[in-house]
Amino acid sequence: MLTKLDAIASRLDQGASDSALRLLRNCWEPEMPACDRIPTYCMWTRALCETGDFDAALTLACRAAQEFPREPDILIALGNVYDIHGELEDAREAFAVAVDIEPQGVLQRYNLGAILERLDEEGEAEACYRQSIAAQQDGFVMAEPYMALGALLRRAGRIQEAEVLYGEFLEEDPMHVDALVERALRTSVEVPRPADRRPSAGGRRRGQASRGRAWPGRGVAARIAGRAYAGPRGR
């Protein structure tokens, strides 16, 4: 099953969400084991969001969370859908629970930071970004928390700290274009805030792009299989 899920993940990474949806529908089985069911839920939710079917994505994400209420990847997907719907407090709660369950998780730390930043809680957002960076290991380098933290530091006028941060990241990934551009602009403090930073009274417009939203990706299936899944964890 991992080969099929890897193929679907590749389609999503390539932007072929319609094709990924067809593959997901074809591979779905009612008796699918949890080690396959969890990444399938995550990728199906992402594909629905990327094809604009936000209501179906929310329905599926909530169903998955009911079935696996203590599974970090499911909670990350749920938080992303709430984010897309403009329900930032619900997104915050989903990511916070995922962090509580798996404190060393890189994705949930970063996504929680992005939500906190848009809620004007920049101190807590900075802490989340730094924790996400610190949790990266085994050769895995995720650019988003570096870029988000660098932009936050530059907005605060902490240019020297931002330069050090970009330098650290470029040591890990010397050819990363975004980091190179950010570093070239490091003397500027006029860094625009995320466009969707301040939601309206009714919440951010549904489907509006969120900077750097991170989804459970290609490694989800293998990681879950490697955990020797033993059923839903209790609250």
Side-chain angles (χ1 to χ4, degrees), residues 106 136-146 169 172-173 176:
V106 175
Q136 298 182 29
Q137 56 187 354
D138 298 329
F140 171 72
V141 179
M142 179 178 165
E144 286 86 349
Y146 283 95
F169 176 62
E172 301 289 339
D173 188 354
H176 196 283

Side-chain angles (χ1 to χ4, degrees), residues 151-165:
L152 188 154
L153 292 173
R154 287 172 57 210
R155 274 200 309 276
R158 296 156 64 184
I159 306 303
Q160 198 167 29
E161 290 180 63
E163 181 178 356
V164 171
L165 179 74

Side-chain angles (χ1 to χ4, degrees), residues 49 54 58 75-92 94-95 110-112 114-116 118 196-197 199 203-215:
C49 288
F54 304 119
L58 181 58
L75 291 168
I76 291 169
L78 177 64
N80 283 340
V81 180
Y82 279 137
D83 178 6
I84 289 169
H85 276 260
E87 303 292 341
L88 299 188
E89 289 295 343
D90 287 333
R92 174 183 186 165
F95 294 138
Y110 164 70
N111 281 351
L112 179 58
I115 293 294
L116 290 169
R118 293 202 298 281
D196 55 346
R197 177 183 174 79
R204 187 163 52 82
R205 180 168 61 83
R206 187 175 70 166
Q208 185 173 345
S210 170
R211 183 191 66 195
R213 186 182 297 113
W215 292 89

Side-chain angles (χ1 to χ4, degrees), residues 221-234:
R223 186 169 70 252
I224 291 168
R227 284 207 292 250
Y229 189 82
R233 285 167 277 191

Side-chain angles (χ1 to χ4, degrees), residues 166-174:
Y166 295 138
E168 290 174 353
F169 176 62
L170 287 170
E171 288 181 5
E172 301 289 339
D173 188 354

